[in-house]
Amino acid sequence: MNPVVILEVHLDTGTARLRRLPEARAALGGSGLAATLFSQYARPTEAWDHPDQPIIFAIGPLTGYFPLMSKTVCAFVSPRHGGYAESHAGGRSALALRFAGLDALVLVGRAPRPSVVHVGAHHVSVQDAGYLWGMDALSCAKLIRRQISGSGHRSIWRIGVAGERRSPMACINVDTFRHFGRLGCGAALGAKNIKAVAVTGEEHQTLPTGKGYAALYADIFRDLTDTEMMHKYHNLGTPENLEPLDALQALPWRNLQATSKPEAIGSMSGQHFADTALLRNAACAGCPVGCVHIGFVREKFLPQDNRYLYRQVSYDYEPIFALGTMLDLRAPTEVLALLDDVEKAGLDAMSAGVALAWATEAMERGIITEAHTGLRLAFGATHVYREAITRMAEARQEFWAHLAQGADAAAQVYGGADFACVLGQEMAGYATGETFFVSQALGLRHSHLDTGAYSYDQANPPQDTAAAVRFLVGDEAERVLLTSMVACLFARKVYSRERLAQCLTAIGMGDLASDLAATARILQARRWQQRLAFGFNPTAIPIPRRFTEVVTWRGPVDAHYLAELQKAYAQAIKALAAEVPA
Ligand code: SF4
């Protein structure tokens, strides 16, 4: 079996070394490989921004062989919690690494000056790029595209000003429209003085011969394109969820002060976005689904004349919730304008929106004033939020520097922790109930994608901590398998465990396919070991009072059940980590 190929780049010296690790194959790739490499490189006793802390980008064994094996897993030490973190992104990132002949790219050290890392199948360089420092993420990509040839085979990952300022909300913008979004990986790159990473995939990949592989590929392709399984993602996309969640009283509005606004949802629905703002669909490389919905913002650039420019901006359910309903906006064009601003600043849209929602309520309550912010924040005030995004990204003034550290961090300074909608990091857009709140608060990535808890709540199960924990642990294991294969999680119905085993067998890795359930459990445990090694204590994660004030279609959230579930899930996490030797 081919070994895993890892390129280790030492940013301080500009040198690199290739490693081939046969034993790393057992980790599959993606999440499993990232956690395995993290255990080798990371320093649990050092701070998140210590130069020795690694940033790891890993793809999976099926990348390039099957559709939607399109993600790259970025593992790093998070500035938000100082421990193991993962963020996943698509675009061309995974295929570029595959065609550069790499399974993983590991960055260690700190470049002495702002730099760009360029990696290809036959070259590595760390180039001075002081002229890019301070530049917004869109302009930066434009310049790099001009300098590095290979359109279509090249993937460009870069940070905006938020990453340079090391905000825990800073993301890494990937190609056009994709992101390593959460937990501050943009800050981790900024702390290494790296403005951008460009990967050029200029090699080719030999596909298996024979009918078996071709027939399996055709089956999968058919499921992805000719069945109902993926139709939602292509049609309205994830914004389709806005209306049903509002109807369930599970859509956060106005900093989660409300969970439904029947009078307003019509102007923020997926259909309304499509009717008024949708330009086209786009897709990650190698994906026939095309779930990426692209809208536009239009700006007058000559005030005295009718001269406009427009930019294309992608939208999804989560950014619409965070920069739309959480801020009580009422028009797609306004949400897209804010999305364009966070894109340029290199801020994670979800964290930025939720932090601004906290700041707005804090101002309404008089906890902060205009003297702190320099701005009159008010729900629905798009033009004020546009200025606020710039100030937050630049950490301009004391207040914005605090808020750039997170809504909970700002609340520690000014008060208002009860209504900071933070569950490990700023919340995702599901006020579905206790299981989701516990899942995000304790989940390894503090992500709505760690488990399907939002669906579990919507099935309205009886209160049963043991059953809920069984679901969380079991569902996470299935997802770890998928993210270790770097499958897009939207394709989870297509890529069942059995089918993943068939895929591995079809490319000659049948020995990895023999007991994927056991493999998933081992990889799940390994990730938790990394999280716990840096001092993570799941029982100590606060779930602010605002979450216990939520009323959904099932009635008020039960604070007692929430606390019991948190306790039980925390125990399960510790037990999971102890299942395999460290
Ligand atoms: S479904 Fe969407 S996110 Fe998933 S690979 Fe395709 S375009 Fe990318």
Side-chain angles (χ1 to χ4, degrees), residues 150-320:
S151 173
H153 300 272
R154 171 193 61 187
S155 188
I156 298 170
W157 319 334
R158 71 280 175 191
I159 58 172
V161 173
E164 296 174 14
R165 301 285 158 89
R166 305 186 185 189
S167 166
M169 298 186 202
C171 67
I172 301 176
N173 299 44
V174 174
D175 302 325
T176 334
F177 312 129
R178 301 284 88 186
H179 311 87
F180 294 110
R182 309 222 71 193
L183 289 172
C185 52
L189 206 56
K192 292 196 169 300
N193 258 338
I194 297 302
K195 179 72 177 179
V197 178
V199 180
T200 309
E202 64 266 85
E203 275 298 338
H204 62 275
Q205 183 181 21
T206 308
L207 296 177
T209 51
K211 289 183 186 159
Y213 166 74
L216 181 58
Y217 189 103
D219 270 359
I220 291 169
F221 194 87
R222 199 165 34 247
D223 280 355
L224 290 168
T225 54
D226 289 353
T227 67
E228 279 302 299
M229 279 191 258
M230 302 297 286
H231 178 254
K232 155 187 168 176
Y233 296 110
H234 179 76
N235 186 26
L236 289 181
T238 53
E240 183 181 298
N241 296 335
L242 284 150
E243 268 185 308
L245 283 167
D246 190 76
L248 281 177
Q249 295 175 262
L251 177 61
W253 290 85
R254 289 178 79 95
N255 197 37
L256 197 53
Q257 294 180 73
T259 50
S260 178
K261 284 206 175 219
E263 74 284 6
I265 188 62
S267 64
M268 294 296 281
S269 68
Q271 189 62 59
H272 194 59
F273 266 77
D275 289 342
T276 59
L278 179 61
L279 274 179
R280 64 189 177 92
N281 284 47
C284 300
C287 172
V289 177
C291 80
V292 185
H293 285 62
I294 315 291
F296 63 95
V297 290
R298 200 173 76 118
E299 270 172 13
K300 200 170 194 182
F301 67 91
L302 279 183
Q304 73 280 17
D305 235 337
N306 285 310
R307 302 292 298 276
Y308 290 89
L309 58 81
Y310 80 96
R311 273 188 299 280
Q312 301 187 37
V313 187
S314 68
Y315 65 84
D316 262 309
Y317 170 78
E318 297 294 350
I320 294 173

Side-chain angles (χ1 to χ4, degrees), residues 564-576:
E564 288 300 305
L565 192 53
Q566 175 167 11
K567 217 187 305 166
Y569 189 35
Q571 279 167 1
I573 286 169
K574 289 178 183 168
L576 256 175

